Amino acid sequence: LVLAQRGAQLVGGVCFALVVPRLMGPEDYGRYALATSVAAWLALLSGLGLLNATTRYLPPLLARRETSALQRLIGNLFTLRVASGLLAAVLYLTVGRWWWRDPDPVVALIMAVTVWAQGLSGYLFSIFLGFNQAGRWAFGDTARRWLLLGLVLSGYQLGGLRGAVVGVLLTVAAVVVS
C-alpha cells in the first residue's frame, strides 16, 4: 500500500511541476515557491524529531497495553508540537514582514497559519506510523500532493497568489480533517 501511494505521490508531483509553474508564470511562481519553501523548512524544523519519538516510544507502550502512559505521551508530544508550530508560524510571519517587503502581507499571514497547521497534520499522521499503520501514515502525503494540484490551481485562477496560498492552507486543512 505504501509503495502504491509513493507512486501516486510521484505522479502527482510531476503533474504539479508540469502545470503550476506554467500557469502562474515566472514572477508569481517564484513568489509562490519562496513562500511555500520557507514554510516547508520551518514546518520541518519545528517537528523536533517527533516522528522518531512516536515510532520509537508508542509501539512498546501499545504492546504492553499501557494506555495511560500512551495517552500521556501522545498528549505531551501534541502540546509540544502545537507550541513549536506556533513558534515557527510567528517566525514565518516575522520573516515574511521584515525580509520580504514586496509580497502581499496577507500571503505571509496565510502561510504562517499554514506552517502551524502543517505541524499539526504531520504530528497526527506520525501517530499512525507509531501505531504501525504505515498505509494511513502515507495517505497524508498522497492526499496532500493531489489536493495541492487542484486547490492551488483553482485558487490561483480565482485569486492570484493569495488564492494559491489559500489553496495550500485548504489542502493542509483537508488532510487534517481526513
Side-chain angles (χ1 to χ4, degrees):
L1 182 59
V2 172
L3 182 61
Q5 289 184 17
R6 292 294 183 208
Q9 290 172 24
L10 177 67
V11 171
V14 168
C15 290
F16 189 92
L18 289 174
V19 175
V20 173
R22 286 173 178 75
L23 174 73
M24 288 185 174
E27 189 172 313
D28 279 345
Y29 183 71
R31 287 185 176 134
Y32 170 82
L34 178 64
T36 57
S37 63
V38 171
W41 277 103
L42 286 172
L44 181 68
L45 290 173
S46 69
L48 305 174
L50 294 182
L51 176 64
N52 295 338
T54 58
T55 57
R56 180 175 181 164
Y57 297 112
L58 291 184
L61 291 174
L62 193 61
R64 292 191 308 255
R65 300 179 194 268
E66 294 182 29
T67 307
S68 64
L70 185 68
Q71 289 172 342
R72 193 171 50 252
L73 178 62
I74 289 172
N76 289 340
L77 291 176
F78 181 74
T79 302
L80 181 61
R81 190 63 180 109
V82 167
S84 68
L86 186 58
L87 286 174
V90 168
L91 180 61
Y92 187 97
L93 194 56
T94 303
V95 167
R97 293 306 316 136
W98 174 71
W99 188 37
W100 303 325
R101 303 251 182 226
D102 182 30
D104 184 353
V106 175
V107 169
L109 178 63
I110 293 167
M111 289 307 297
V113 173
T114 302
V115 165
W116 181 75
Q118 280 178 332
L120 292 181
S121 174
Y123 175 71
L124 293 174
F125 277 89
S126 74
I127 296 296
F128 290 134
L129 196 57
F131 286 160
N132 199 24
Q133 298 176 2
R136 292 181 76 184
W137 166 71
F139 173 77
D141 289 332
T142 305
R144 187 176 302 108
R145 185 72 51 129
W146 284 98
L147 285 171
L148 265 177
L149 179 62
L151 293 175
V152 167
L153 281 175
S154 57
Y156 183 75
Q157 290 181 341
L158 292 172
L161 186 58
R162 274 188 189 184
V165 296
V166 167
V168 175
L169 178 59
L170 290 176
T171 296
V172 173
V175 169
V176 168
V177 170
S178 66

